[in-house]
Structures are given as structure tokens and as C-alpha cells.
Amino acid sequence: MTDPVLLELSDGVARIVLNRPDRGNAINQPMADALLDTALRCANDPDVRCVVLTGAGKMFCVGGDIADFAGNSAGIAAFLSRLAGTLHQAMTILAAMNKPMICLVNGPAAGAGLSMAISGDMVLADPAAHFTAGYLGIGLTPDGGMTWLLPRLVGMRQAQDIILTNRRVDTTEAAAIGLISRVVADTELEREGAELAARLASGAVASMGAARRLLHESFASGFASQMDRELSSIARAGESAEGREGVRAFLERRPADFRTRT
């Protein structure tokens, strides 16, 4: 059997590839299990400094494998609970890890595929990509964190429109409303993604992880309490090897070497 998720490690960058191209990279239980294992490995490997998530073939991910849904209709509640629960564990780990994540959306993303596509700290998309919530077309409700991510990225009104009308969002609109970071010229997605990943992997990765947490916490905080979190975080960062190297490099007027001096 072909592995449903591929992991490629090179120079501090972990490249995760959803690998069921003949099924549009649809998520079945083996893929969800493999994604969870891969997320745990990336989050806990100190040599991984940046994670890239993309899809094999012409699709990023079409969401859950609907054929599997139909095949498990007798016990659908238990089936969906296990499938979505495993995916949610993987996405929680990727969101909480102490390193940045880039999503390279190489083609259409729908359902949980949309949730995964927009979960990166930076999201680059091929012009051929487009985005659809998909759930209400088959009588289901969102998963994969969509109802948390979408309102925070595009606002409640846009999120309601995208989910309730089930309409397709092309990359031009996606960039304009903040669903993705930017559209990349045709055939340039892999190159630009690799360059961005290399740049992030050479940076202050632990500080990036702390900044990720602060951003996630900000929506649940008041202004004063969030500044308290920022105060604690910057104090810890100042004492860290990254903070010390960054200050030294600035004063010595040289590029900071966060990889070998931390």
C-alpha cells in the first residue's frame, strides 16, 4: 500500500504531503492516523525547525472520504467521531508546536481540506486552487477547526457566507479577504514555499513558537491580560539563547546565527 501521508526531512524543514492523489487526497482513517503520527514526530523532533503541509497531485484535499461515510452508515456517529477526533488531535498538535507551519495549497481544498489549508501561519496558493466549505451540501457540519479559524481570518459575516451558502472562493478573493497569505505564480508554488521554509528554519524558531501561542491566546484575552502574557513571554525570550544571540548579533552588526549559536 502507498503511504497515505509522506514525510520528507531536509535541513530543518519537515515536508508533510497528503498522499492519496487518486482520491483527491480525501481523508480516511488510515490517513488521519498517519497524519497524527507525523504531527507528533514533527512537533517533538528538535531538528525540525519548520513544517510545510501540502498535497500530492492536482488537489490539496477534498475533505473526508465520502465513500467511507456511506460504507459506515450503520455506525456513522462512531465512525465520524473517530475520524474527526483523530484529525483534530493532529491539527491541535500542529497548532501548538513550538515551530512555524506553512501550507502550500497546490489545488482545490474543501471540507476538512479547507480547514487544514488555512491552518498554517502562512498560506501560499497556486492560482488553480479554490476553497469550499462543502459540509452543508451533504447535510453535515464543519470540523477540523473551521468554525474557529474562518471567523478569525475573514470575519464572522464572510465565514457565515462561505459555510452556509457553500460557495466556492477562488484564490483572488481568498487573498483579498485574508483567507490565504498570497497567490503564487503558476508553477512557482514549490520554489517559493521552499524559500520561505528555509528562511523561517534559519530564524528564531522558539520565539516564533511563542509568538504563535500569543496570537492564538489573544482572542480569548482582554487587552490588559494579553499584555501580561506578552510581558512574561518577552522576559523569557530575553533570557533564552535565541534572545541573547539576537541582541549580540544586532550590536555586532552581523546576521544572527540562530541555528548553531543557540
Side-chain angles (χ1 to χ4, degrees), residues 1-220:
M1 286 181 61
T2 303
D3 292 335
V5 175
L6 304 178
L7 177 61
E8 304 163 5
L9 302 172
S10 177
D11 199 24
V13 176
R15 188 170 183 269
I16 301 172
V17 183
L18 306 175
N19 189 42
R20 299 185 72 210
D22 57 321
R23 300 286 299 168
N25 298 319
I27 305 164
N28 60 4
Q29 192 62 50
M31 175 182 274
D33 291 338
L35 186 62
L36 176 56
D37 290 342
T38 303
L40 284 165
R41 180 175 175 185
C42 291
N44 291 288
D45 185 345
D47 291 331
V48 173
R49 298 175 59 84
C50 179
V51 173
V52 175
L53 175 63
T54 192
K58 296 181 179 181
M59 302 277 193
F60 177 79
C61 176
V62 298
D65 193 325
I66 307 302
D68 273 10
F69 293 11
N72 288 273
S73 60
I76 191 65
F79 171 81
L80 288 175
S81 293
R82 183 183 174 211
L83 180 62
T86 307
L87 175 64
H88 289 182
Q89 289 180 68
M91 294 189 68
T92 298
I93 290 164
L94 292 173
M97 66 184 176
N98 199 33
K99 55 201 77 176
M101 183 169 79
I102 301 166
C103 290
L104 301 182
V105 188
N106 55 299
L114 169 55
S115 300
M116 286 195 288
I118 62 177
S119 67
D121 300 296
M122 277 143 285
V123 180
L124 311 186
D126 185 275
H130 53 74
F131 305 87
T132 312
Y135 295 93
L136 297 183
I138 56 172
L140 298 178
T141 56
D143 66 347
M146 185 181 295
T147 57
W148 192 94
L149 287 163
L150 264 183
R152 285 161 173 79
L153 292 171
V154 304
M156 182 60 78
R157 282 288 174 254
Q158 291 280 8
Q160 289 167 321
D161 182 34
I162 290 168
I163 291 172
L164 298 181
T165 69
N166 207 32
R167 69 182 183 84
R168 177 182 293 186
V169 179
D170 64 24
T171 52
T172 300
E173 181 185 2
I177 64 177
L179 190 64
I180 63 174
S181 305
R182 64 179 182 270
V183 185
V184 176
D186 192 23
T187 75
E188 293 295 306
L189 184 66
E190 287 295 331
R191 182 187 64 78
E192 287 206 25
E195 289 177 357
L196 177 57
R199 186 160 72 249
L200 293 178
S202 66
V205 168
S207 296
M208 291 180 204
R212 294 180 97 213
R213 286 191 295 276
L214 285 169
L215 288 166
H216 285 165
E217 292 165 351
S218 67
F219 287 94

Side-chain angles (χ1 to χ4, degrees), residues 233-255:
S233 183
I234 197 171
R236 288 193 301 270
E239 289 186 329
S240 71
E242 282 186 354
R244 295 181 188 281
E245 165 60 10
V247 170
R248 282 197 306 267
F250 180 84
L251 293 175
E252 294 169 8
R253 299 184 179 181
R254 61 171 173 81

